[in-house]
Amino acid sequence: MPCLECLDPGTEEGGRWEEEKKEDGVKWMQLEHRGPYFVPPYEPLPEDVQFYYDGKPLKLSLATEEIATFYAKMLDHEYTTKEIFQNNFFHDWRKEMTSEEQELIKDLDKCDFREIHKYFVEKNEARKALPKEEKQKLKEEADKIQEEYGYCILDGHREKIGNFKTEPPGLFRGRGEHPKMGMLKKRIMPEDVVINCSRDSKIPEPPEGHRWKEVRFDNTVTWLASWTENIQNTLKYIMLNPSSKLKGEKDWQKYEVARRLKDVVHEIRAQYRKDWKSKEIKKRQRAVALYFIDKLALRAGNEKEEGETADTVGCCSLRVEHIQLHPQLDGQEHVVEFDFLGKDSIRYYNKVSVERPVFKNLQLFMKNKDPTDDLFDQLTPPSAPGASLLPCVPAEELDSCSFPPPTHPLGLFLAWERLPTFGKFLETHFLNKHLQDLMDGLTAKVFRTYNASITLQEQLKALTNPEDNVAGKLLSYNRANRAVAILCNHQRSIPKTFAKSMQFLQEKIDAKKKQVEEAQEEVKKAEDEFEDTKDAKAEANVERKKKLLKRLEEQLARLNVQATDKEENKQIALGTSKLNYLDPRISVACKCPVLLHLQLGTKQLELPEGREVLGQGRVLCHQCGLRRNRLFVLLEEDHQEVLRHLPTPQLQTGPGHLHLLLLPKLPVQPECVPGAPAGSAMRCQGGPFHVLLHLLSGAGRKWILKD
């Protein structure tokens, strides 16, 4: 089998989705990698940069100084104004101080980090101001690290690793109002790291003077290395890149389950509506919870260890205090007002008009309960003592766990190697068991994926206008994506640089408007000149000026669309839903993107005026065998114009031959794509979810079919 030393990085084999399937639970047969890349050691501050306590300079020990820099770098961030952040930081900082420093430094308000903060601001500005040659040198160094640590060999294929670097030490931020914000994230050392690889591979060498915590040979998991982080005591993993074969296959399976749900969702909805009137209170609670999971795309929820993490909940773990019932509100009847912290401490606040039986059942569930009581108390069994001792594992391993676990004679549930945190597993087991009876493979999470994808599909139908230009279609797509992000409560705080970037964009718009006005005057002058002379040269000049004006107007329109899009998305995170919840075949079917290969090596083709890059991927050409690292997305109607701008060396196999790809995710089923031959099967090449097309000049599109 190929190894890291002998595999040519410029080659990749096709047809990987057609490789022999492995036994159940086996993910790979060969895995070789370099191990994680560790953060460089701390560099002490220059002698002239000092920390002050109570107005006097104070020389700190190296460990104390490093932690002080973490806080100093964040002085201009709102985190450092929050009391809980300050308290957590100061508590953890004092634990790392020497005894002499602890005796002296007792009040954070007397600490002056401003000089350290100024030093790092100036250092950052100096880095930005580096000459082009220096920046190129830094880029080459980063590329070298990426090349050495950023790839692995998995069953003979060179796969990209997603996060090959250990997390740097710093201060924990969390999302929302996390109770642990400000706590010290300690430096990860080789002694903390568990390596996973195959027995016949070259085991990664730890940094000089260090050793690994453990080396495993477990081919039933997909992580390459792991360690336990100190803030929440959870496992962190080095995993494969989302474009990898294993991740791609898993995503494809996830979306296939969601597609199967589409065929039975009406029956499931009819069933839970029927259960609203059940004589069993447990069935009623299950039915109402499922209604919320379906209608609002709520996460099922999991139990948190008290006092250890933020008070986050999901649907099944809602408490009475998290909802308010309004018979009438804002002109609507039977309104439920939700207000709770969801995953990552992101606040979920929503007012929803629900069906009358749901409203009546909620009144019943809340009757004679205290605010801190569980809303769905019949779905949440008592916590098992000792459950917090059970380790966390990736969600991908959940299917391999059995239930119920073996029981200790004293009644404590025992931890064993492959069981996820028991509280989380137990929390949603009863609901998911019911869903499994309704459809094989169905869990509460599948509803979230299904509703996200179906929302995108419906929004694209409503918003996409075939007559729009590239920028207009991209805006419509992002608006459809935003509807999904709102449904899934994917929020973000407004970026610190938002106002500045919007100001810069507005300046570009104003400058472009001025150019358009000047071009309009030039067109008028050219037309007047043509009226006077009536010669061919003047007529050609008019056409040239009009083309310039049209191009400038298109550029202005794109800038205006960009400003609108930026403003609308300032508090919405679109990336999470794109990566994890949206079936890419829907994007293909809406006729928006066609990917054209426009880059050869490091020489990039300049796009025609008015054309924009919408996305990237990679592809291996089935016919000529060329592998490409980048592809650029253009709309389908642009391909002929791009074709006219392609230099001959780019074509490789003759005039008109381009490398095309529909999407960098998911194998496309022909019935999902307009224009695909009925009953044909697409060939996947060059990695997961890559579907090849060839565009022959003047002959339209040609599908590459299986033999």
Side-chain angles (χ1 to χ4, degrees):
M1 286 186 178
C3 65
L4 284 172
E5 285 79 4
C6 68
L7 190 71
D8 181 1
T11 64
E12 186 162 344
E13 302 167 41
R16 299 173 56 192
W17 281 71
E18 300 172 11
E19 290 178 348
E20 182 180 351
K21 298 297 181 183
K22 301 177 179 63
E23 300 174 12
D24 287 344
V26 175
K27 308 294 185 182
W28 46 263
M29 300 304 294
Q30 183 215 17
L31 176 61
E32 181 175 320
H33 56 91
R34 303 287 194 194
Y37 177 79
F38 290 91
V39 178
Y42 171 66
E43 295 183 7
L45 294 171
E47 290 295 330
D48 58 340
V49 179
Q50 296 190 356
F51 165 79
Y52 293 84
Y53 185 76
D54 203 12
K56 299 176 183 179
L58 178 62
K59 180 65 177 177
L60 301 174
S61 63
L62 203 61
T64 307
E65 180 186 277
E66 180 182 14
I67 299 170
T69 63
F70 300 156
Y71 192 85
K73 291 175 183 178
M74 297 179 65
L75 275 188
D76 58 350
H77 201 289
E78 66 171 331
Y79 274 106
T80 54
T81 66
K82 297 180 178 181
E83 184 178 357
I84 188 170
F85 187 93
Q86 296 172 352
N87 292 340
N88 285 336
F89 159 71
F90 196 60
H91 177 267
D92 281 6
W93 188 31
R94 279 181 53 80
K95 287 195 295 186
E96 302 298 322
M97 293 178 183
T98 63
S99 57
E100 293 81 5
E101 289 168 338
Q102 288 176 347
E103 283 294 321
L104 184 60
I105 304 174
K106 295 183 177 181
D107 189 349
L108 182 61
D109 291 336
K110 294 181 179 180
C111 298
D112 187 349
F113 303 91
R114 288 177 295 178
E115 194 168 300
I116 303 176
H117 173 73
K118 181 183 177 183
Y119 166 74
F120 283 107
V121 170
E122 291 174 350
K123 188 177 181 180
N124 190 46
E125 292 299 326
R127 189 184 298 112
K128 291 179 181 178
L130 284 174
K132 185 177 180 181
E133 296 76 16
E134 290 295 320
K135 288 183 177 179
Q136 181 61 30
K137 186 178 178 181
L138 292 175
K139 182 180 181 300
E140 289 172 358
E141 291 174 358
D143 290 344
K144 186 178 179 181
I145 294 172
Q146 169 77 43
E147 192 64 30
E148 182 176 359
Y149 291 91
Y151 294 89
C152 70
I153 301 300
L154 186 111
D155 291 340
H157 298 289
R158 190 171 186 263
E159 294 277 17
K160 191 173 183 179
I161 300 172
N163 52 333
F164 61 89
K165 296 181 179 180
T166 60
E167 294 182 1
L171 302 182
F172 180 71
R173 302 186 184 191
R175 297 185 184 179
E177 298 299 320
H178 202 289
K180 293 191 174 184
M181 64 170 65
M183 292 179 66
L184 174 64
K185 288 198 305 180
K186 295 184 178 180
R187 182 180 295 271
I188 305 302
M189 302 299 291
E191 288 74 12
D192 303 318
V193 175
V194 177
I195 294 293
N196 191 33
C197 59
S198 54
R199 292 183 183 276
D200 61 348
S201 68
K202 182 180 178 182
I203 297 175
E205 292 288 337
E208 188 175 351
H210 294 275
R211 58 181 178 81
W212 302 122
K213 179 180 180 180
E214 183 186 347
V215 176
R216 293 185 189 175
F217 310 106
D218 187 354
N219 65 358
T220 63
V221 297
T222 58
W223 52 268
L224 285 66
S226 71
W227 60 88
T228 302
E229 57 89 20
N230 66 289
I231 300 293
Q232 308 203 77
N233 202 35
T234 56
L235 286 171
K236 295 286 186 178
Y237 297 91
I238 288 181
M239 308 285 285
L240 294 171
N241 188 273
S243 64
S244 67
K245 176 176 182 287
L246 289 178
K247 182 67 168 66
E249 286 178 335
K250 186 170 181 61
D251 281 351
W252 177 71
Q253 292 166 2
K254 174 178 70 177
Y255 292 125
E256 283 300 294
V257 175
R259 291 180 79 189
R260 287 196 289 114
L261 174 58
K262 180 176 180 291
D263 297 329
V264 299
V265 71
H266 297 296
E267 299 173 19
I268 293 174
R269 287 169 178 166
Q271 179 63 50
Y272 69 59
R273 281 184 168 85
K274 180 181 177 182
D275 287 344
W276 290 342
K277 301 177 181 179
S278 173
K279 293 181 180 180
E280 296 181 46
I281 191 69
K282 185 173 182 178
K283 281 189 176 181
R284 288 195 181 198
Q285 289 192 3
R286 185 182 66 193
V288 172
L290 188 53
Y291 169 77
F292 286 152
I293 289 170
D294 182 19
K295 181 178 175 66
L296 304 179
L298 295 183
R299 290 182 173 88
N302 58 78
E303 188 177 1
K304 300 290 185 180
E305 187 178 352
E306 185 177 354
E308 283 298 315
T309 57
D311 182 22
T312 59
V313 298
C315 183
C316 294
S317 50
L318 285 171
R319 297 192 295 272
V320 173
E321 62 188 333
H322 293 137
I323 70 169
Q324 291 186 41
L325 303 182
H326 305 280
Q328 286 191 332
L329 183 68
D330 300 331
Q332 292 183 310
E333 293 184 337
H334 309 127
V335 175
V336 180
E337 183 178 358
F338 293 88
D339 192 356
F340 61 88
L341 290 183
K343 184 181 178 184
D344 295 324
S345 296
I346 298 297
R347 184 189 183 198
Y348 182 90
Y349 182 78
N350 199 3
K351 297 177 183 177
V352 185
S353 177
V354 300
E355 297 181 39
R356 187 172 181 272
V358 173
F359 193 84
K360 292 295 184 183
N361 273 309
L362 289 172
Q363 289 178 321
L364 176 63
F365 302 159
M366 297 171 70
K367 190 175 181 180
N368 298 324
K369 285 184 180 178
D370 293 329
T372 56
D373 288 342
D374 290 323
L375 179 65
F376 302 114
D377 55 307
Q378 299 297 308
L379 298 184
T380 311
S383 300
S388 61
L389 301 176
L390 298 171
C392 292
V393 298
E396 66 192 63
E397 299 182 25
L398 181 61
D399 294 337
S400 62
C401 301
S402 60
F403 185 87
T407 305
H408 189 275
L410 297 179
L412 300 181
F413 288 101
L414 295 178
W416 73 100
E417 184 181 4
R418 303 177 57 77
L419 179 68
T421 302
F422 187 67
K424 179 176 180 179
F425 187 82
L426 193 61
E427 180 87 8
T428 56
H429 170 74
F430 298 102
L431 177 62
N432 284 333
K433 186 177 184 299
H434 170 66
L435 294 176
Q436 288 279 352
D437 294 337
L438 298 176
M439 188 191 93
D440 183 45
L442 181 60
T443 64
K445 189 175 181 180
V446 177
F447 274 94
R448 192 169 165 86
T449 304
Y450 164 75
N451 281 308
S453 290
I454 204 72
T455 298
L456 177 72
Q457 180 172 309
E458 292 169 352
Q459 289 292 312
L460 285 175
K461 286 180 180 179
L463 297 174
T464 305
N465 183 355
E467 304 302 319
D468 282 346
N469 57 18
V470 174
K473 288 181 177 179
L474 181 58
L475 178 63
S476 297
Y477 188 89
N478 282 342
R479 282 176 170 165
N481 190 182
R482 182 163 55 254
V484 176
I486 292 172
L487 173 71
C488 296
N489 199 41
H490 292 154
Q491 303 178 35
R492 65 170 182 172
S493 57
I494 300 176
K496 290 192 301 181
T497 58
F498 177 77
K500 186 176 181 180
S501 62
M502 284 297 290
Q503 181 183 352
F504 178 70
L505 185 56
Q506 188 58 50
E507 289 172 358
K508 290 178 67 175
I509 291 173
D510 294 340
K512 191 64 67 176
K513 284 181 179 178
K514 188 175 180 181
Q515 290 180 353
V516 169
E517 291 171 358
E518 292 172 353
Q520 289 172 338
E521 293 177 2
E522 290 293 323
V523 169
K524 190 174 184 306
K525 288 180 182 178
E527 288 176 338
D528 292 342
E529 183 181 346
F530 176 64
E531 286 295 325
D532 294 338
T533 61
K534 299 293 185 181
D535 63 4
K537 185 177 180 180
E539 184 179 12
N541 186 44
V542 170
E543 291 302 314
R544 188 165 60 253
K545 296 293 184 182
K546 284 184 175 180
K547 284 184 178 180
L548 175 61
L549 175 60
K550 182 180 179 181
R551 188 162 65 246
L552 290 172
E553 288 175 338
E554 289 176 350
Q555 292 171 353
L556 176 60
R558 287 202 309 277
L559 287 172
N560 283 322
V561 167
Q562 186 179 347
T564 301
D565 197 31
K566 198 178 187 71
E567 175 65 33
E568 291 178 350
N569 291 326
K570 63 183 179 182
Q571 289 184 285
I572 302 295
L574 301 182
T576 304
S577 54
K578 279 182 183 176
L579 185 62
N580 298 314
Y581 290 102
L582 302 181
D583 190 331
R585 290 170 290 192
I586 298 170
S587 300
V588 175
C590 80
K591 297 185 178 180
C592 277
V594 168
L595 308 188
L596 296 176
H597 168 242
L598 298 178
Q599 182 165 319
L600 180 63
T602 58
K603 181 179 179 182
Q604 181 174 322
L605 172 71
E606 291 199 9
L607 298 178
E609 281 290 342
R611 305 305 173 192
E612 287 195 358
V613 173
L614 302 185
Q616 299 183 44
R618 62 178 186 157
V619 67
L620 175 70
C621 179
H622 175 57
Q623 289 189 359
C624 66
L626 294 174
R627 178 179 179 272
R628 297 295 176 244
N629 289 326
R630 289 182 180 271
L631 296 114
F632 295 93
V633 183
L634 300 172
L635 295 192
E636 185 173 356
E637 59 265 26
D638 293 335
H639 72 256
Q640 290 295 340
E641 181 170 353
V642 173
L643 190 63
R644 289 195 294 271
H645 288 75
L646 281 172
T648 304
Q650 296 275 153
L651 302 180
Q652 294 295 323
T653 58
H657 178 228
L658 298 178
H659 303 80
L660 282 89
L661 180 66
L662 280 178
L663 269 181
K665 273 182 174 282
L666 286 181
V668 179
Q669 301 298 321
E671 62 267 20
C672 298
V673 184
S680 61
M682 301 299 298
R683 177 185 292 276
C684 301
Q685 297 284 349
F689 300 155
H690 289 174
V691 182
L692 297 190
L693 293 176
H694 280 242
L695 176 67
L696 305 177
S697 180
R701 297 190 295 174
K702 177 181 177 182
W703 295 90
I704 299 181
L705 307 178
K706 286 184 179 179
D707 297 329

